[in-house]
Amino acid sequence: MTVEDVAQHAAPSVSGYAIAYFELAKPRVLTMVLITTLAGFYMGSGEQFVFLLALNLTIGTALAAGGTLALNEYVERDTDSRMERTRHRPLPSGRLRPTDALIFGVVTAVTGFLFLWAKVNPLSAVVTGTIAALYLGAYTPMKRFTWLCHVIGAVPGALPPVIGWAAARNGLGGEPLILFAIMFLWQLPHSLSIARLYQRDYARAGIRMLPEPGRWGDPANSVTIAAASALLLVGMLPALMKFAGLVYLAVAIVLGAVLLFHCLRFVLGGSASTAALRVMKVSLVYLPVVLLVMVLDKV
């Protein structure tokens, strides 16, 4: 029975539909997108924070990102139905029909792009459109073929702070590039630890999120350590470039070292699932804390 067949047998209430559409936009991921976008906006705002512009940015980004995430669920509805961690999503569970999800995703995303173009600036809309194109056109299909999808997927995942900076400055520069680099490097140990935790689930769905160990070991381990090491160094740059202060520098060094330590434990031994879980948890602490301190310690 296909996802479309299952959907025909489901008849949720009005509130059930509302909840299903809300879940379709992946609220936890969407929240992280909005937080990182607003962090980039604040860091790029100079001495004057324009509340109305920030509000318009939040609305437009929420619509564009929510629609893009909904389209991702539409594209992956069949593989989601074969994985334990995703089979309860609105489409595999039959709470929404695929056609409804497709229409919702397209209308919401396009509305968000147009809103950003008209109410914020064209540059922020272009960056947002680039995220959608890479996420849906590159990362999503690559998951079926190669574990290097993590590297490609880290690009759209790292661009939300750039949206914020572009909204505030109507331009780019070295600072948003550093914010992008921090986000990009952070995602690699984070996403690879998740892939390790759910490798059987991914394999069941035919998704290749981890490589086969080769002659020189597991390539994913090398990427994890390289990314965490680079993150420790790149995380210092906002203070060295003087758009964040010394408090930020201290926090970035400590949390970067802790993340690298757990990545080394993850790679070098012990229970793979336990070590991967630790890396995932530490990474979930690293990003919001580092961004919060960067905002509070803005120079």
Side-chain angles (χ1 to χ4, degrees):
M1 181 178 289
T2 66
V3 172
E4 286 83 353
D5 294 331
V6 173
Q8 300 298 323
H9 294 84
S13 63
V14 173
S15 62
Y17 272 120
I19 293 171
Y21 278 115
F22 179 71
E23 292 179 12
L24 193 66
K26 297 185 179 179
R28 286 186 294 182
V29 177
L30 181 58
T31 299
M32 184 65 76
V33 170
L34 293 177
I35 289 172
T36 53
T37 299
L38 288 173
F41 178 82
Y42 181 79
M43 295 303 295
S45 291
E47 295 183 1
Q48 187 173 9
F49 184 90
V50 182
F51 178 79
L52 181 59
L53 187 59
L55 178 62
N56 287 337
L57 172 65
T58 302
I59 293 171
T61 304
L63 290 170
T68 300
L69 291 165
L71 289 173
N72 170 258
E73 290 209 26
Y74 169 79
V75 172
E76 294 190 327
R77 61 194 185 277
D78 288 325
T79 54
D80 281 350
S81 69
R82 296 197 289 271
M83 292 194 295
E84 184 66 28
R85 64 187 292 261
T86 56
R87 65 186 180 88
H88 297 294
R89 286 177 175 175
L91 291 177
S93 64
R95 288 179 288 145
L96 285 178
R97 294 179 301 177
T99 303
D100 294 336
L102 176 62
I103 294 172
F104 171 81
V106 170
V107 170
T108 305
V110 171
T111 300
F113 301 142
L114 295 177
F115 188 90
L116 287 171
W117 188 286
K119 295 294 186 179
V120 181
N121 58 47
L123 181 58
S124 64
V126 169
V127 176
T128 305
T130 301
I131 292 175
L134 289 172
Y135 187 69
L136 295 173
Y139 169 68
T140 297
M142 281 185 69
K143 289 164 69 175
R144 293 176 177 268
F145 304 107
T146 173
W147 70 279
L148 292 174
C149 63
H150 292 284
V151 178
I152 301 302
V155 175
L159 282 172
V162 181
I163 301 174
W165 190 281
R169 296 284 184 97
N170 197 20
L172 300 175
E175 295 92 337
L177 180 61
I178 297 305
L179 297 177
F180 170 87
I182 290 172
M183 289 284 295
F184 178 87
L185 293 168
W186 167 81
Q187 284 179 94
L188 294 174
H190 175 73
S191 62
L192 286 168
S193 65
I194 293 175
R196 188 75 68 187
L197 280 170
Y198 298 103
Q199 57 182 320
R200 292 182 181 177
D201 221 11
Y202 284 124
R204 189 181 303 117
I207 298 176
R208 299 188 62 181
M209 298 298 280
L210 288 172
E212 294 292 332
R215 180 180 177 183
W216 305 105
D218 189 335
N221 289 344
S222 300
V223 170
T224 298
I225 297 303
S229 300
L231 181 60
L232 178 59
L233 299 176
V234 173
M236 302 178 192
L237 291 180
L240 299 179
M241 293 177 67
K242 300 190 183 305
F243 64 95
L246 294 179
V247 174
Y248 164 81
L249 178 61
V251 171
I253 291 173
V254 170
L255 288 182
V258 170
L259 180 59
L260 177 57
F261 170 75
H262 284 288
C263 286
L264 287 169
R265 291 186 65 184
F266 169 49
V267 167
L268 295 178
S271 169
S273 59
T274 301
L277 182 60
R278 287 198 188 102
V279 171
M280 185 186 73
K281 288 181 176 179
V282 172
S283 68
L284 288 173
V285 171
Y286 176 94
L287 188 63
V289 172
V290 162
L291 289 178
L292 176 61
V293 175
M294 183 189 297
V295 165
L296 295 175
D297 200 31
K298 174 184 173 183
V299 174

